[in-house]
Amino acid sequence: MSNKYKMFIDGEWVDSSTNERLETVNPYNQEVWATIPQASNKDIDDSISAARTAFETIWKKISGAERANMMVKLADLLDQEAERMSILETTDNGKLIRETKNQMHFSAKGYRFFAGLTDKIYGEVIPLENQDLFDYTRREPLGVAVLITSWNSPISLLTNKLAPALAAGNTVVIKPSEHASVTTLELGKLVEKAGFPPGVVNIITGDGRVGDYLTKHPNINKISFTGGTETGKRISRNASENLVPVTLELGGKSPNIIFEDAEIDRAVTGAVAGIFAASGQTCIAGSRLLVHRPIYNQVLTKLVEKAKTIKLGNPLDPTTEMGPAANEAQYSRILSMIEAGKESGADLVLGGNEVNGEGLEKGYFVPPTIFANVENSMSIAQEEIFGPVLSVIPFKDEDEVLQLANESKFGLASGVWTTDMRKVHRLSREIQAGTVWINTYRTAAPSAPFGGVKMSGYGRERCIQAIHDYTRIKNVMINYAEDDRDPFSMQTK
Ligand code: NAD
């Protein structure tokens, strides 16, 4: 028996106007456990016009404090429903229940963080040379924001977009990934309960065709996208049709660097967190482990020992440490990248094969996989795998490690393990990435900026500044001089 989900448009729960549906598969047992609508172009048009009407007639007129009340209610509901929501998300994408539950509470924090900003969005008074001119700025919402997310952390990634968009006074059309839409649709029920007026939050589902039509739409004012780099480029091209501003949170191939002077055991734990958490299906995966030559063998031995003990299993079991890949396409891609690694001549020191074991028969399981003596130019060191596959690369000194770290088309995150403060500051300055973690990895806060450089995208989420991505500045200039002016020359004083 599968659950038949509906979309949320203008406060109503609706099917696709064509009745087309997509199946959603539990990656742990390959069972179809739910179906979601494939939105038609008409549904997309409806959702955008609902968002537009809600923006013009209600949302831009109410106070920040009122928006904040609803956002805090939504946060409370997410906390209350964390257990149920996390079971659904784990069933949808195979992510560990301990992680999905944590992400529900983290998302609640995100809504509270941005709720606190709703009444702090204001302009400036600008002193001008001409004292008879009064100049000030207003920060205004953009209008209708389109929010598109990937399947690996649907609720958490959406929070990074929805919370600042609503806080700044925008209305939204959300499109989650076709591989994991259920919790986003469930969030619609919480949005209703929290009292948001109809049309402020609209949720439509479907595959890339829906995203394509949405991002070309002439009646939208902002796009925020989390997903793969190739899709990000396509969206950026679509957005250029109507000059719609875009935030892009894309892929990564992040370096995690261990120096000889590091606390080795903690660094090894950090390496495990970097690549095997979420079965490596995280944009910030520390998938290139760069290790100082004097400790290379020691680190590799400890890492392999630790990775061997990782418990694969049902992601709903709280003791499981690694679940399956989230879907069949992802599973096949990871396996083909492992084959590429074997062919490239890197040393496969752990995993790399099919997984057998009780309870693992039907899931898309890939074991923790470690390649040693990888060259940075190999495809396993350059391409995002988005799976539990680590490339371990030796380095001789600080200059070489910086070169290796930055020799990547991506620049999302990075980690440095050292006890030397001079290295901390030098590397933090020189590494080309949106985040540098020192003696930690995969650590997040709603107030800490998150985003990438190079092919990892642009724009920042989660921080105070993120709210500015959902506002524009208007300048207002008031003349209260008594005298007349020369009409044929621009007044510059
Ligand atoms: P994807 O790019 O295949 O899909 C992401 C979303 O885009 C989905 O909702 C999909 O339906 C939609 N889409 C597909 N084609 C589209 C088109 N032509 N126009 C508009 N929308 C379209 O990515 P994915 O496989 O869902 O997610 C994995 C990728 O996401 C990885 O590269 C990962 O690094 C990245 N990611 C980045 C972050 C970050 O914050 N930087 C976080 C998580 C995941």
Side-chain angles (χ1 to χ4, degrees):
M1 244 309 263
S2 71
N3 307 287
K4 213 175 155 197
Y5 277 90
K6 291 189 174 184
M7 301 185 288
F8 188 49
I9 301 177
D10 206 11
E12 304 284 331
W13 291 93
V14 297
D15 275 320
S16 162
S17 65
T18 58
N19 282 321
E20 197 185 336
R21 291 198 149 257
L22 302 176
E23 292 183 335
T24 175
V25 176
N26 177 343
Y28 175 62
N29 55 23
Q30 295 191 46
E31 276 171 20
V32 176
W33 71 285
T35 61
I36 54 165
Q38 166 76 19
S40 65
N41 290 354
K42 180 190 175 299
D43 301 324
I44 300 168
D45 290 340
D46 287 350
S47 66
I48 292 172
S49 86
R52 173 68 55 202
T53 304
F55 176 71
E56 296 295 346
T57 59
I58 314 170
W59 201 238
K60 76 174 188 189
K61 296 187 177 168
I62 69 169
S63 69
E66 283 174 274
R67 296 199 297 277
N69 282 340
M70 292 174 223
M71 291 178 67
V72 169
K73 266 188 206 150
L74 181 61
D76 292 345
L77 288 164
L78 253 183
D79 274 335
Q80 285 159 26
E81 297 275 330
E83 177 83 23
R84 190 178 69 83
M85 290 285 278
S86 58
I87 291 171
L88 289 170
E89 191 146 298
T90 294
T91 308
D92 221 6
N93 68 2
K95 224 179 195 199
L96 298 187
I97 189 82
R98 55 164 96 162
E99 165 113 330
T100 51
K101 196 164 168 192
N102 189 17
Q103 287 189 340
M104 296 305 157
H105 293 302
F106 183 57
S107 297
K109 274 192 200 175
Y111 287 106
R112 288 196 190 97
F113 174 79
F114 281 102
L117 294 178
T118 53
D119 55 0
K120 296 166 194 70
I121 304 166
Y122 38 68
E124 296 169 317
V125 172
I126 301 171
L128 300 187
E129 199 177 338
N130 180 342
Q131 306 241 325
D132 286 337
L133 289 176
F134 176 58
D135 194 86
Y136 71 95
T137 58
R138 292 169 48 81
R139 266 200 183 269
E140 300 182 339
L142 298 174
V144 176
V146 165
L147 315 178
I148 300 180
T149 52
S150 58
W151 43 260
N152 56 324
S153 298
I155 290 295
S156 176
L157 297 174
L158 176 62
T159 304
N160 296 344
K161 307 176 184 312
L162 182 57
L166 292 174
N170 301 272
T171 57
V172 303
V173 176
I174 299 165
K175 195 207 85 67
S177 164
E178 61 275 32
H179 298 297
S181 291
V182 166
T183 44
T184 304
L185 291 168
E186 290 280 348
L187 189 84
K189 297 179 189 166
L190 307 188
V191 162
E192 258 185 319
K193 270 197 198 164
F196 286 87
V200 171
V201 176
N202 303 276
I203 306 165
I204 58 174
T205 51
D207 58 24
R209 288 170 291 168
V210 177
D212 193 54
Y213 185 83
L214 250 181
T215 50
K216 282 181 185 152
H217 209 284
N219 197 16
I220 61 171
N221 307 101
K222 166 79 188 171
I223 299 169
S224 180
F225 171 73
T226 295
T229 295
E230 286 312 309
T231 316
K233 285 196 226 169
R234 226 170 290 142
I235 285 176
S236 180
R237 283 194 290 271
N238 287 351
S240 71
E241 290 283 318
N242 299 298
L243 299 180
V244 172
V246 188
T247 297
L248 294 176
E249 293 287 350
L250 309 176
K253 193 74 197 177
S254 301
N256 199 359
I257 302 167
I258 308 181
F259 280 99
E260 184 184 16
D261 58 41
E263 294 175 59
I264 306 290
D265 288 333
R266 291 185 61 218
V268 169
T269 302
V272 169
I275 189 65
F276 299 125
S279 304
Q281 298 170 117
T282 152
C283 53
I284 49 180
S287 48
R288 287 188 297 149
L289 188 69
L290 309 181
V291 186
H292 215 166
R293 276 197 192 278
I295 53 161
Y296 182 83
N297 288 335
Q298 186 193 0
V299 166
L300 190 61
T301 307
K302 283 182 184 250
L303 184 63
V304 169
E305 285 311 311
K306 208 159 193 155
K308 268 185 189 162
T309 69
I310 291 175
K311 187 182 166 207
L312 274 66
N314 186 343
L316 284 170
D317 176 344
T319 67
T320 298
E321 293 172 328
M322 253 178 64
N327 55 64
E328 194 177 5
Q330 187 56 27
Y331 177 65
S332 306
R333 172 165 165 79
I334 299 169
L335 296 183
S336 74
M337 288 302 293
I338 291 175
E339 284 312 306
K342 288 180 189 168
E343 281 163 23
S344 67
D347 298 339
L348 179 67
V349 293
L350 186 71
N353 303 311
E354 276 183 26
V355 189
N356 300 308
E358 209 186 315
L360 307 180
E361 302 84 358
K362 290 188 179 159
Y364 298 122
F365 283 97
V366 180
T369 296
I370 300 177
F371 283 101
N373 296 315
V374 175
E375 283 172 27
N376 199 44
S377 56
M378 291 175 178
S379 65
I380 48 168
Q382 287 297 318
E383 297 306 318
E384 184 183 45
I385 300 175
F386 221 57
V389 183
L390 181 65
S391 291
V392 190
I393 304 172
F395 71 85
K396 84 170 180 296
D397 57 22
E398 207 176 305
D399 284 344
E400 190 187 26
V401 81
L402 264 174
Q403 189 184 338
L404 291 169
N406 290 337
E407 260 172 18
S408 168
K409 63 184 170 191
F410 296 111
L412 190 58
S414 59
V416 179
W417 299 85
T418 178
T419 49
D420 177 351
M421 284 313 286
R422 287 163 298 195
K423 281 200 198 93
V424 166
H425 290 292
R426 281 197 297 263
L427 271 91
S428 307
R429 188 184 61 210
E430 298 298 331
I431 289 178
Q432 297 163 2
T435 293
V436 182
W437 281 300
I438 308 290
N439 296 330
T440 185
Y441 205 92
R442 224 169 163 259
T443 305
S447 49
F450 178 73
V453 300
K454 301 197 275 189
M455 299 306 266
S456 294
Y458 46 78
R460 290 295 175 268
E461 296 194 317
R462 283 200 197 129
C463 50
I464 289 181
Q465 293 84 343
I467 205 147
H468 293 161
D469 277 3
Y470 293 89
T471 66
R472 64 167 82 86
I473 293 176
K474 180 184 278 173
N475 192 70
V476 181
M477 199 182 274
I478 302 168
N479 177 15
Y480 53 90
E482 304 283 347
D483 54 337
D484 206 359
R485 59 169 286 181
D486 171 4
F488 303 107
S489 168
M490 184 191 272
Q491 192 176 350
T492 53
K493 273 196 183 166

